[in-house]
Amino acid sequence: MEALNRTGVSEFFLKGFSAYPALEHLLFPLCSAMYLVTLLGNTAIVAVSVLNVRLHTPMYFFLGNLSILDICYTSSFAPLMLVHFLLAQKTISFTGCAVQMCLSLSTGSTECLLLAVMAYDRYLAICRPLQYPVLMSRQLCLLLVGASWAFSLLKSVTETVIAMRLPFCGHRVVSHFTCEILAVLKLACGDTSVSEGFLLAGSILLLPLPLALICLSYALILVTILRVPSAAGCHKAFSTCSAHLAVVVLFYGAIICMYMKPKSKEAHISDEVFTVLYAVVTPMLNPVIYSLRNKEVKEAARKLWGRIWTSR
């Protein structure tokens, strides 16, 4: 990573919400609470999914991966962001900035793909239940998850290397609370067209296409459940799908507003608000929406807690 540092900049200053001290004082306890809920909720989902044999199914395998992603994604910037809320000097080293950028890009990109995989899994389970065990085999599950992680990591490393090799000419004030790639590119005094081209290609691959697959999957699911003769069963399925879609809309909507809007050299506080939405709020809501509302997960968690309490 040191080879990247040929720009004359050894560290960056993360401006964040420095212009709004009162807002920082409000955000510190709020974001701390959300980060704690994210850690506890997603860790609980992973533990329950691994320790309960009944949950060793494709659905919970994907949920476990989503929870690990959410923990890694939020942890790539949240601890430093919380520290900076309390400090006047909000700096990060050049190498630390590159690592943070790569980790957040990689985990965020993987989540885009994994949400599409999970929607496809639910489509097969609800619309083709008899063929589901064959179609969604263990090998396919591992392949889908492994490909999502590998592709996103390769894409993110490439984008980070290209961005951090640009000359910054002494400019080092990032108008963001993390080393978000678009905010860092605004500091470059060289040609950013290659970096922006890679970002646009990645955005097209990871935003409209997976979102279209998610919408198609849930549309087919809704068509199927509307044919269910049981009103209670139909209501339950519709409630579950609408909750899942709410998280998808929040996550994808915020990212699309960030990465597919017209580029501007001017920094806007709305960029940071969108980042909070998809990088802090969504990982906190995922355990509630995808798992903690699920009776199987709650029953498994209750039994696991009972065994732990009894062993004491």
Side-chain angles (χ1 to χ4, degrees), residues 47-75:
V48 170
S49 299
V50 171
L51 296 177
N52 192 293
V53 179
R54 293 181 59 188
L55 299 184
H56 290 180
T57 63
M59 175 182 174
Y60 296 105
F61 174 71
F62 295 135
L63 283 174
N65 272 272
L66 180 65
S67 294
I68 293 172
L69 265 177
D70 284 337
I71 292 172
C72 295
Y73 189 24
T74 310
S75 297

Side-chain angles (χ1 to χ4, degrees), residues 2-18:
E2 289 297 330
L4 299 179
N5 192 2
R6 302 174 181 174
T7 65
V9 174
S10 61
E11 65 179 13
F12 291 99
F13 177 81
L14 300 176
K15 184 178 178 182
F17 299 102
S18 299

Side-chain angles (χ1 to χ4, degrees), residues 25 40 87 185 210 245 270 276 286:
H25 294 151
L40 294 177
L87 300 177
L185 285 178
L245 281 174
S270 61
V276 170
N286 279 342

